[in-house]
Amino acid sequence: MKTGIIDVGGGMRDAYGAGIYDWCLDNDVSFDYCIGVSAGSANLSTFLAGQRGRNIKFYTDYDLREECMSMKNYVRTRNFVDLEYVYGTLSNSDGECPLDFDAVMKNPAEFKIVATDSISGKPHYFDKTDMSQDDYGAIKASSCVPAANQPYYVNGTRYFDGGISDPIPVRKCFEDGCDKVVLILTRPRDFERSPKKDRVTTNILRTKYPNAAKAMKMRAEIYNYQLRLAKEYEKEGRLLILAPDDIGGMKTLTKDREMIEALYHKGYNDAAAIRDFLGI
């Protein structure tokens, strides 16, 4: 049986996912296939490296720093989130909290990272072959939120956040051969996205990146369709949805440590459902 896990990201809300991964590491639970979107790809890299506690350290410490997220960054570079700081300065081998890249590569699990091609508006799936020591461009591309950030270049191609084009990559997971899949959502399981939330960003993208703008315009419809599809797979016993029962109004870029820690603990506790789902 090929097992998979999907992490949809969601900025600071994905502290919920950080809790799930720490539970998995504490209980020796692994997966054959891992696919992450945006912050979900960063969470998964730490999980694959076996670095328990590293993810939550970012959410409750590093990500709260001005160097990471601030209007000062935006004024200086037109990037509200400094992806180079998070996935470079901090994460490189000589950084304050380095990713154990060798451990990621030695882990036998497949690792997919979802980004959106800024020109075509289509999803692009990076894998381990697109990463090298101290070069985590695939994760940066997947985490590049339009409007908040300029597109991120990888091998001459500009990318935006993977959540624009494939926000819940359930179909991709099963197409790649998974039999049972754990899906991590960072909003309550019945949350449906409204297209109103994406109108401003769609208008910002329309002039320079018309196809990315089209994808953004369709994002809510795609998200809601993929969520319904996930629930159908769940009814069939092929998928387990893990989602917080409440996020307390938490926003994508919230810097409230107490709220972040509460979501982390929710994730840790909810992860126990994986045991019965996988029969372990």
Side-chain angles (χ1 to χ4, degrees), residues 32-105:
D32 303 306
Y33 179 98
C34 304
I35 184 166
V37 183
S38 195
S41 65
N43 271 357
L44 277 167
S45 67
T46 293
F47 171 61
L48 291 172
Q51 292 176 275
R52 190 201 188 284
R54 181 175 183 270
N55 280 325
I56 191 59
K57 181 69 172 175
F58 271 79
Y59 288 109
T60 59
D61 184 353
Y62 305 126
D63 289 351
L64 304 186
R65 296 177 181 178
E66 185 180 67
E67 296 97 321
C68 175
M69 296 189 295
S70 66
M71 283 306 299
K72 183 178 179 180
N73 285 345
Y74 189 77
V75 170
R76 182 171 54 87
T77 66
R78 307 302 289 175
N79 292 290
F80 184 80
V81 178
D82 189 340
L83 298 170
E84 300 295 347
Y85 179 74
V86 181
Y87 305 120
T89 302
L90 294 172
S91 299
N92 286 348
S93 53
D94 61 351
E96 193 173 341
C97 191
L99 175 69
D100 188 343
F101 179 71
D102 285 343
V104 174
M105 298 305 287

Side-chain angles (χ1 to χ4, degrees), residues 85-203:
Y85 179 74
V86 181
Y87 305 120
T89 302
L90 294 172
S91 299
N92 286 348
S93 53
D94 61 351
E96 193 173 341
C97 191
L99 175 69
D100 188 343
F101 179 71
D102 285 343
V104 174
M105 298 305 287
K106 289 175 182 176
N107 191 310
E110 294 177 59
F111 183 25
K112 302 284 185 178
I113 299 169
V114 189
T116 301
D117 186 311
S118 67
I119 303 304
S120 69
K122 302 294 184 181
H124 179 85
Y125 305 98
F126 293 101
D127 59 31
K128 287 182 182 179
T129 65
D130 297 299
M131 299 173 65
S132 59
Q133 182 71 64
D134 298 344
D135 181 1
Y136 308 128
I139 295 175
K140 296 171 190 175
S142 181
S143 305
C144 185
V145 179
N149 283 75
Q150 297 300 302
Y152 192 84
Y153 281 79
V154 178
N155 297 326
T157 300
R158 291 168 287 184
Y159 294 97
F160 284 120
D161 193 296
I164 299 173
S165 56
D166 198 0
I168 311 178
V170 173
R171 189 181 297 279
K172 173 68 174 172
C173 203
F174 284 109
E175 285 177 350
D176 285 352
C178 290
D179 299 297
K180 281 205 164 189
V181 174
V182 173
L183 169 62
I184 299 173
L185 300 177
T186 57
R187 294 184 187 274
R189 59 177 289 130
D190 293 325
F191 168 84
E192 291 201 351
R193 191 172 182 88
S194 168
K196 293 179 181 179
K197 296 176 68 70
D198 300 318
R199 286 176 183 170
V200 172
T201 305
T202 298
N203 290 333

